[in-house]
Amino acid sequence: MSDSFEILSLDQIQSELKSRLIGRSSTPNELHDVIDSTNNRAAELARNDAGEGVIVLARQQTGGRGRLGRTWVSPPDSGIYLSVLLKPPAESLAQPGLYTLATGTAVAGAVENVAGVRLGLKWVNDLVFEGKKVGGILAEFPMGWTGANGGSGRYLVLGIGLNVRLSQEALPEELKERVTWLEALTGMPVNPNMLVAQIALQLEHAYDILRNDGDRASSRIIDEWKKRTVTLGREVQVTSGNTAFRGTATDIDASGALLVRNADGSIRAVHAGEVTVRLTDGSYV
Ligand code: BTN
């Protein structure tokens, strides 16, 4: 935290950066005043064979994208809109869902270190505080999914959106009750440059595990994720395509899928979709 309101600055990020790979690519990091989507720009860099670890940031996005085709509201200087380009080894992509879980854990760790706020993780990618969304992850394969034995040219874009300094006025009506931001939680300025540098470092730790820990990677990533879960042990509603069902979220399997126990005791593995958690008043958020 710092006393004054800082805005994103590549120089400041550079001086805070402690990672070795992320943010230290041979391709220069980018900070755009306005861009459609940092994930789109990172995909363009991938198609031009950019170096691994390059970071794309924007102060504002006009076409910020969320999961399931949603919009990520991205007003000027209100949040971190960040994409990292990675080139993971094929073996580590046997379970690509682990990358989303690992990124969520890394961002939550960075937020805790920099802002002193402990965020929860709602499967699969939501960073939340008391039921309100603070951030999310959009993982994409811009050159197509080539599978665990895919050849060269395999890139992964990890897009991270984190609300730092929003205002109620900047939010569409339907989001006002469902969203919050870090400075609302801390009551003081949060330095976005320190956050970016910490995200790079925490993400790099997770990436080291995913690349180097072989069979143990999955349990290490999932154990860390579970420490912050707000989903496991709760009644949930799962919506996937045209189907919806309710049950109890019991666990995460080795691929990162959510295991949900139905009323008849059977277990369903959920690989994609939207999960909402039942509150004491019976509503789902
Ligand atoms: C979600 O929770 O639905 C994921 C939101 C991801 C938003 C980030 S902001 C930076 C990057 N660029 C995008 O267009 N989306 C991701």
Side-chain angles (χ1 to χ4, degrees), residues 9 17 25-26 53 95 98 108 115 130 134 139 149 152 157 186 189 236 257 266 273:
S9 137
L17 209 57
S25 166
S26 51
Q95 315 287 8
L98 293 178
E130 293 179 352
V134 183
N149 299 315
S152 60
V157 172
T186 59
V236 294
S266 63

Side-chain angles (χ1 to χ4, degrees), residues 6-7 53 56 71 97 123 140 171 183-184 231 238 242 247 254 268 277:
E6 303 282 348
I7 60 167
V56 180
T71 297
W123 192 92
E140 295 182 309
L171 287 170
E183 289 184 351
T231 311
V238 180
N242 293 330
R268 252 159 105 158
V277 175

Side-chain angles (χ1 to χ4, degrees), residues 37-39 61 64-67 72 82 125 133 136-137 160-161:
S37 154
T38 57
N39 266 32
Q61 292 184 124
R65 294 184 287 111
R67 275 179 75 237
W72 187 258
L82 178 161
N125 73 329
K133 186 152 171 168
I137 318 294
I160 297 165

Side-chain angles (χ1 to χ4, degrees), residues 190-212:
V190 174
N191 186 326
N193 301 304
M194 290 174 68
L195 266 177
V196 170
Q198 260 297 311
I199 289 171
L201 184 64
Q202 300 297 329
L203 195 55
E204 187 158 296
H205 288 158
Y207 192 36
D208 284 343
I209 293 172
L210 284 160
R211 283 185 305 173
N212 303 328

Side-chain angles (χ1 to χ4, degrees), residues 86-103:
L86 296 180
K87 211 170 177 184
E91 321 77 71
S92 80
L93 283 174
Q95 315 287 8
L98 293 178
Y99 274 85
T100 306
L101 297 180
T103 306

